[in-house]
């Protein structure tokens, strides 16, 4: 693992922290992509997203959160 990978793993850990552990976020050294696995109750199969950069990953995570009503689940809104 080179220094670039170490920094990207740190970025992944920071994203996971920002998302309050509602997503498991990893840097794929082989795939050269960020990966995020949803950790809240979802239909069978769950949700996994990936992107080449953090901005793309955040966008995909938000898309899945909207699609599956994450905010309603998390905060009990209607």
């Amino acid at each position: 693992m080179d220094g670039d990978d170490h920094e990207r793993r740190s970025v992944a850990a920071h994203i996971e922290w920002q998302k309050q552990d509602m997503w498991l976020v990893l840097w794929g050294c082989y795939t050269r992509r960020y990966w995020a696995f949803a950790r809240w109750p979802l239909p069978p199969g769950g949700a996994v997203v990936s992107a080449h950069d953090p901005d793309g990953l955040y966008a995909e995570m938000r898309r899945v959160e909207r699609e599956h009503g994450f905010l309603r689940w998390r905060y009990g809104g209607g």
Side-chain angles (χ1 to χ4, degrees):
M1 177 171 75
D2 63 20
D4 241 13
D5 286 332
H6 178 73
E7 181 165 332
R8 289 177 175 142
R9 289 175 78 171
S10 293
V11 168
H14 182 75
I15 294 169
E16 186 172 316
W17 173 81
Q18 282 186 315
K19 289 294 195 170
Q20 302 175 335
D21 291 329
M22 292 292 102
W23 290 86
L24 171 65
V25 182
L26 307 167
W27 166 249
C29 296
Y30 177 75
T31 61
R32 313 305 296 167
R33 296 179 69 83
Y34 290 94
W35 293 87
F37 300 78
R39 291 175 129 168
W40 72 91
L42 286 163
V48 178
V49 296
S50 71
H52 287 288
D53 59 60
D55 289 338
L57 189 68
Y58 278 118
E60 285 299 302
M61 293 163 81
R62 285 190 300 268
R63 180 186 60 76
V64 167
E65 289 172 352
R66 283 191 305 273
E67 182 180 321
H68 293 284
F70 172 75
L71 293 177
R72 282 189 309 277
W73 171 80
R74 178 74 180 210
Y75 300 108

